[in-house]
Amino acid sequence: MSVLYPRLLPGESDRLFAELHRLGPGEHKKMVAGHSSRAVYAATGGRRVTRDELDDLRHAVLAAAQAQGFPEPPGSARRNAFDQQTARILHEQSLMVPGEAAQRQVWSFLALVLLPDICVWRWPANDDGQYLADRFKGLDLTRHALARLWTRAHVLHEPEAPEPYSLLSVLGEADLDQIMARRGSIAASPALVRAVVRGHRDAERSGDGGATARAVLRESLVRLLRLTAFLDVDSLSESETDHLARMIRLEARMSLT
């Protein structure tokens, strides 16, 4: 049975997002709660998440943050490590189905009620003291502090692999974002995303013949973007998709070297 999460009403999301700006560094733990009187649930489709399950989810994500130095500001390597571990936690432990994970208000609740101190640590205010609304309010789930991690884990999950979440550690934030941001083309096919990431992993083991791995990846994405305009990738088998990604990567590497 799927698990239903609280959905924060838009007015309450706006209020709590404004509260982020009123509190100073280190004070956002005051906002942490396991419930909100301004949250609602879907009427049907599963059972409601329990308070204990929400507490367990918070403790798991908090432990991942503490392992990367929370509450001290993290460097890029620590941010990547936190993202990879938290993506797995959210996907494994939340028991969300894609339909529930597609609800913006669910992620508003998680970022502004259950985990605001950790999201502020991961995505601090800019030089003007402003937090990005996309990271907290779920306006764009591909940019949300937590929703984007669940999506990555869901897309890259390989249930039959010895380590089902190993693909999460192949690419850094910037490179993986280059793939996931193309949600109308490449990222629309989870099988193609996995094939691209597997191809990158295997190429790094053997080397890319003088071109940087990042340059080859980005040239591959440009070529795939053109190809998916007229090719139905979802009609291919997994082995055919892997072969396609490898061939496109080979062409990209040859064009660069």
Side-chain angles (χ1 to χ4, degrees):
M1 178 181 292
S2 62
V3 177
L4 305 177
Y5 276 74
R7 303 181 181 190
L8 204 60
L9 296 176
E12 184 68 357
S13 295
D14 293 340
R15 186 188 73 80
L16 292 176
F17 184 65
E19 183 72 9
L20 287 181
H21 294 82
R22 286 194 287 269
L23 295 175
E27 296 183 331
H28 292 95
K29 190 174 181 180
K30 297 176 182 178
M31 297 177 60
V32 174
H35 72 286
S36 170
S37 61
R38 301 294 301 277
V40 298
Y41 289 85
T44 61
R47 66 168 180 84
R48 294 184 179 185
V49 66
T50 67
R51 185 72 63 86
D52 287 343
E53 287 172 327
L54 288 173
D55 287 344
D56 289 344
L57 184 61
R58 172 173 170 80
H59 292 153
V61 176
L62 178 59
Q66 289 171 336
Q68 304 307 324
F70 176 85
E72 296 300 319
S76 60
R78 287 179 177 266
R79 289 195 297 268
N80 280 337
F82 169 78
D83 284 354
Q84 291 165 14
Q85 186 174 357
T86 302
R88 178 169 185 165
I89 290 169
L90 290 171
H91 191 253
E92 273 191 320
Q93 197 165 320
S94 71
L95 303 179
M96 279 193 209
V97 296
E100 187 72 0
Q103 303 304 313
R104 298 174 180 179
Q105 298 93 335
V106 166
W107 297 107
S108 294
F109 173 86
L110 292 177
L112 292 168
V113 178
L114 190 68
L115 300 163
D117 52 339
I118 298 173
C119 290
V120 163
W121 167 78
R122 174 60 181 85
W123 293 103
N126 59 25
D127 293 340
D128 296 327
Q130 299 296 307
Y131 295 99
L132 294 177
D134 282 352
R135 303 299 186 190
F136 295 88
K137 294 168 64 175
L139 305 178
D140 180 351
L141 294 184
T142 65
R143 291 173 53 79
H144 189 273
L146 303 171
R148 73 189 220 291
L149 301 181
W150 184 95
T151 301
R152 291 175 184 181
H154 184 69
V155 169
L156 295 176
H157 185 226
E158 298 179 296
E160 306 304 322
E163 175 44 69
Y165 293 96
S166 64
L167 293 181
L168 282 170
S169 62
V170 173
L171 295 172
E173 171 71 20
D175 290 333
L176 191 52
D177 189 58
Q178 286 288 317
I179 300 174
M180 300 306 295
R182 293 172 165 86
R183 54 187 180 273
S185 52
I186 298 172
S189 171
L192 181 58
V193 174
R194 290 191 295 272
V196 169
V197 176
R198 281 194 294 262
H200 185 87
R201 177 197 62 196
D202 297 342
E204 280 201 317
R205 293 171 179 169
S206 59
D208 267 319
T212 67
R214 171 170 288 183
V216 176
L217 173 65
R218 298 198 175 186
E219 176 65 20
S220 298
L221 296 180
V222 170
R223 292 167 179 266
L224 281 171
L225 190 61
R226 292 196 295 262
L227 188 62
T228 54
F230 59 87
L231 175 65
D232 181 11
V233 180
D234 289 330
S235 68
L236 304 178
S237 67
E238 182 176 357
S239 61
E240 289 171 333
T241 306
D242 280 338
H243 179 73
L244 172 66
R246 287 195 300 271
M247 292 302 100
I248 292 294
R249 188 179 181 91
L250 177 60
E251 291 175 6
R253 188 186 70 190
M254 293 176 64
S255 73
L256 291 172
T257 56

